[in-house]
């Protein structure tokens, strides 16, 4: 059983932010910023490449209100919602989860850079992606 499944089963304690039949939200043990929360489906799946549509719909349906509540109650100015898919993308726990990371300012302990790599031919990229 993966570590998040153990948390969902109550075998490992967690600070629960939100819970319903399908979804559990807990404080991340390592708070990148104050209020950093993880949203997980109760049904195990590895990542977004593995999740079924119904499970994903349940996650999507709670993300906006939960984010609003966290941002408003922490008096944050905004938040990042991140989900890493696969080790190459930084995923360390192989149970799908979404980070809600409240943002307070530019000196928050999180750096996200969107740097352009080499120029791409967008028509060629489009063909590849559409398959
Ligand atoms: P990832 O790197 O896979 O996107 O994120 C995994 C997250 O899970 C990390 O931010 C890490 O701090 C958090 N985490 C790992 N183990 C535990 C745990 O036992 N309890 C809680 N609450 N968070 C955990
Ligand atoms: Zn799991």
């Amino acid at each position: 059983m993966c570590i998040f499944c153990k948390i969902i089963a109550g075998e490992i304690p967690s600070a629960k932010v939100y819970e319903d039949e399908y979804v559990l939200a807990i404080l991340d043990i390592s708070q990148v910023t104050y209020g950093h929360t993880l949203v997980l489906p109760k049904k195990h799946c590895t990542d977004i490449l593995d999740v079924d549509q119904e499970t994903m719909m349940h996650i999507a349906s709670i993300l906006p209100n939960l984010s609003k509540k966290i941002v408003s109650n922490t008096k944050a100015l905004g938040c990042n919602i991140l989900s890493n898919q696969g080790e190459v993308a930084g995923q360390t726990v192989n149970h799908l989860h979404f980070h809600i990371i409240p943002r307070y300012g530019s000196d928050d302990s999180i750096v996200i850079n969107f740097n352009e790599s080499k120029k791409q031919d967008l028509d060629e990229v489009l063909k590849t992606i559409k398959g």
Side-chain angles (χ1 to χ4, degrees):
M1 206 190 271
C2 89
I3 190 158
F4 285 173
C5 280
K6 285 184 182 162
I7 286 174
I8 290 158
E11 290 175 22
I12 296 176
S14 66
K16 291 184 185 175
V17 177
Y18 172 85
E19 183 170 21
D20 66 27
E21 199 181 339
Y22 305 100
V23 178
L24 177 66
I26 58 172
L27 290 181
D28 195 303
I29 202 160
S30 167
Q31 295 273 286
V32 167
T33 65
Y34 184 92
H36 178 186
T37 296
L38 299 173
V39 180
L40 359 149
K42 287 190 170 175
K43 182 176 169 188
H44 179 91
C45 56
T46 310
D47 59 24
I48 206 151
L49 308 174
D50 179 43
V51 69
D52 64 81
Q53 184 146 350
E54 199 192 349
T55 302
M56 193 58 222
M57 299 273 276
H58 288 302
I59 297 172
S61 74
I62 67 116
L63 269 178
N65 277 347
L66 185 58
S67 301
K68 274 181 218 163
K69 189 173 178 187
I70 291 170
V71 167
S72 143
N73 286 344
T74 58
K75 299 190 170 46
L77 303 171
C79 67
N80 290 105
I81 297 178
L82 301 174
S83 184
N84 301 322
Q85 318 305 316
E87 197 180 343
V88 72
Q91 185 174 12
T92 58
V93 177
N94 292 328
H95 179 127
L96 176 65
H97 54 282
F98 289 79
H99 297 256
I100 301 174
I101 304 175
R103 295 301 302 266
Y104 302 94
S106 55
D107 58 349
D108 292 337
S109 303
I110 173 171
V111 180
I112 300 170
N113 288 322
F114 286 90
N115 297 323
E116 191 179 23
S117 54
K118 81 175 170 80
K119 266 271 176 261
Q120 301 290 349
D121 171 352
L122 296 191
D123 288 336
E124 186 279 324
V125 174
L126 213 49
K127 265 190 205 142
T128 302
I129 286 177
K130 288 185 162 181

